[in-house]
Amino acid sequence: MNKNKSKLSFSLVLMLPIVLFLWMGLSYFWSIDPSRTINAIPKEITLLIIPLSFSFFLISKSQKQTSIRIYSFAMVFFVVYYLVRAIIRYAITQDSKVFFYHGENDDDYGLVPKLLNAIHFSVFVAIAFFYFFTQEVKTKLNIGLSLLLFGFIVLLSSKNIILVLIILIAIYLLFYSKIANKMRLRNLIVLLTILGLALSFGKIKERFEAEFQQNTAKSLSHNVVKRSVQSVHNISIYEAWNNKKFYPNAFFPGTAFRVYQARLFFEFLEEEPIFWKGFGLNASLVKIEEKGKKYDVFLGDEKTEGYQMKNFHNQYIQNFAELGVIGFVLLILILGLNLKNAFKSKDFIHIAFAILMISLFLTESFLWRQRGMVFFALFYCLFNHKDALIPLKSKS
């Protein structure tokens, strides 16, 4: 990192996260649960510290690449560690669940610990994957590590991340790789994709209708509560949005639960004065718990946390519900500017990061977790720093 200091930048790229943090802090004064808000503010302080740190230093393109390279090899180390851990556990238990997703709080026999979260870790690994996958010189090491990381993401079983990963790989091959230009692979892949979609449209439509209408345990996104043997009914998306009453032994598949949470948000928007300022940072849980009791969802037992104790699992809704339309707009501006700069830079790792964040925020309140906030703030600033610095002119 260049130690030559520049003036503190007030450009939009670094100011937006800082303004969002300040708005989070101000929400304490109107929060419906001040104690939760004051406890949550320190977790979000990286939105202030990291952009301020980046605004004081110049970082060259080579330094940025070196940082991403070190990060990517570090992720390879963690992937190998968790695979070895899974193999050892399988040798002891003969239970294949050690190779998939994450464990539970009372049963840590997933591929990664519950605290780490398989969906979040999928994103961490995905950035490293694209570092190796997009290298112009395809060495055996790059190819091998790309396959290793891709396989690990598949084992983590986050459908959303896997789908986005495949789409990003296709975009890279179609528009950014040298092979596509040299062999005219683009037209061939586009044609095959169109044919594939045309042939499978009926099945895609049938799968969506099944998830929307029927009582199925299958889900487009992961479940947030472990299914109990006492569960006798799988809530569909339609029921999650329309039922006036549920019951403690009803089970919400992941997608249905997120629809239920979105329904609660729109009800809050009608019933509570939250449009401009929201409930306050991390304060919506009080209202979610009230709704959970009203709708008679599963409230938990000695082993499993109830649905009423879960956040919105959607960063856009989380921002709007707790920080109002101002917090929501700030988030959209941050993501929009990040995406714009990604395509402008033609750096595919930056493009992958931008698209992954946009899609991840649809199913996870990623920034309400400290590891999520640190990850996002670091990469956001690393990729966008060149638009936020005022270079010093060398003295003659």
Side-chain angles (χ1 to χ4, degrees):
M1 185 176 285
N2 193 332
K3 293 183 179 179
N4 292 326
K5 292 184 178 181
S6 67
K7 295 180 181 179
L8 181 62
S9 172
F10 288 97
S11 65
L12 200 59
V13 71
L14 292 187
M15 281 305 299
L16 283 173
I18 294 172
V19 172
L20 179 57
F21 173 76
L22 294 176
W23 187 248
M24 290 173 173
L26 284 173
S27 72
Y28 170 79
F29 295 103
W30 60 79
S31 174
I32 62 172
D33 193 344
S35 62
R36 284 186 181 276
T37 298
I38 199 69
N39 288 331
I41 290 173
K43 294 188 211 178
E44 310 296 334
I45 201 168
T46 49
L47 272 182
L48 173 67
I49 294 174
I50 293 177
L52 282 177
S53 299
F54 272 81
S55 70
F56 278 111
F57 296 95
L58 297 172
I59 303 175
S60 68
K61 184 177 179 180
S62 63
Q63 288 172 326
K64 181 181 79 170
Q65 292 299 322
T66 300
S67 299
I68 297 172
R69 183 174 184 272
I70 292 171
Y71 169 85
S72 299
F73 276 103
M75 292 311 302
V76 169
F77 170 81
F78 283 112
V79 164
V80 171
Y81 166 77
Y82 283 117
L83 284 174
V84 171
R85 174 180 181 257
I87 291 170
I88 294 172
R89 289 185 168 195
Y90 180 74
I92 296 171
T93 66
Q94 297 296 305
D95 191 338
S96 62
K97 70 181 180 181
V98 299
F99 290 107
F100 302 97
Y101 200 48
H102 58 230
E104 298 296 328
N105 292 327
D106 61 335
D107 180 12
D108 184 27
Y109 276 86
L111 185 56
V112 297
K114 168 82 170 183
L115 186 62
L116 187 56
N117 191 299
I119 300 173
H120 296 183
F121 199 64
S122 294
V123 176
F124 303 160
V125 176
I127 298 299
F129 164 78
F130 280 109
Y131 170 78
F132 296 110
F133 183 73
T134 59
Q135 293 297 306
E136 290 187 6
V137 179
K138 303 295 183 185
T139 64
K140 291 182 179 179
L141 178 63
N142 288 337
I143 295 172
L145 292 180
S146 297
L147 292 173
L148 173 69
L149 297 179
F150 181 84
F152 192 81
I153 293 171
V154 172
L155 291 177
L156 286 172
S157 310
S158 172
K159 298 170 192 174
N160 177 29
I161 301 304
I162 293 171
L163 176 61
V164 174
L165 190 72
I166 292 172
I167 292 172
L168 285 169
I169 290 172
I171 291 173
Y172 176 77
L173 293 175
L174 286 170
F175 301 105
Y176 291 89
S177 69
K178 291 183 178 180
I179 297 176
N181 293 327
K182 289 181 179 179
M183 301 181 63
R184 298 188 181 277
L185 187 61
R186 181 184 308 173
N187 294 335
L188 176 61
I189 294 178
V190 169
L191 178 61
L192 291 175
T193 302
I194 293 173
L195 288 173
L197 288 174
L199 292 173
S200 63
F201 178 76
K203 290 185 177 180
I204 293 172
K205 182 180 178 182
E206 180 182 335
R207 176 69 184 89
F208 179 79
E209 288 177 346
E211 170 125 7
F212 189 82
Q213 295 177 346
Q214 298 174 9
N215 301 326
T216 174
K218 294 181 180 179
S219 178
L220 299 177
S221 53
H222 274 289
N223 307 321
V224 296
V225 169
K226 186 178 180 181
R227 188 177 183 183
S228 170
V229 293
Q230 287 81 25
S231 300
V232 296
H233 181 77
N234 301 310
I235 300 297
S236 68
I237 289 177
Y238 178 85
E239 291 171 324
W241 186 260
N242 292 282
N243 275 17
K244 294 184 177 180
K245 203 79 171 177
F246 299 96
Y247 19 83
N249 60 355
F251 171 73
F252 284 85
T255 311
F257 177 73
R258 287 163 174 84
V259 170
Y260 164 75
Q261 293 289 70
R263 171 189 176 180
L264 297 189
F265 164 69
F266 285 107
E267 290 181 5
F268 293 146
L269 207 55
E270 290 183 0
E271 300 165 1
E272 307 281 350
I274 62 169
F275 181 81
W276 292 108
K277 298 187 295 184
F279 290 124
L281 179 65
N282 207 34
S284 61
L285 193 61
V286 174
K287 294 294 182 178
I288 292 174
E289 190 171 0
E290 290 176 2
K291 287 285 187 180
K293 293 175 181 177
K294 173 186 173 182
Y295 286 122
D296 197 24
V297 298
F298 172 65
L299 299 179
D301 53 32
E302 64 278 1
K303 291 184 178 181
T304 308
E305 189 176 64
Y307 291 113
Q308 86 288 0
M309 300 303 294
K310 303 295 182 181
N311 63 31
F312 285 105
H313 280 69
N314 181 307
Q315 191 63 60
Y316 306 103
I317 290 178
Q318 198 82 42
N319 268 54
F320 207 135
E322 298 187 351
L323 302 172
V325 68
I326 295 175
F328 173 75
V329 170
L330 285 170
L331 178 65
I332 295 300
L333 287 174
I334 289 170
L335 293 177
L337 185 59
N338 184 42
L339 186 64
K340 175 187 174 183
N341 288 341
F343 281 108
K344 183 179 178 182
S345 70
K346 297 182 180 179
D347 179 352
F348 195 79
I349 304 176
H350 188 180
I351 293 171
F353 169 73
I355 294 176
L356 279 166
M357 291 298 99
I358 291 171
S359 62
L360 178 67
F361 288 1
L362 290 169
T363 62
E364 298 293 316
S365 296
F366 187 64
L367 302 184
W368 264 230
R369 294 287 180 266
Q370 191 168 32
R371 61 177 172 273
M373 179 58 74
V374 172
F375 173 85
F376 178 80
L378 274 172
F379 276 100
Y380 172 82
C381 292
L382 184 64
F383 285 127
N384 293 285
H385 75 277
K386 64 180 181 179
D387 300 304
L389 292 170
I390 304 173
L392 286 176
K393 293 182 179 179
S394 58
K395 296 181 180 179
S396 56

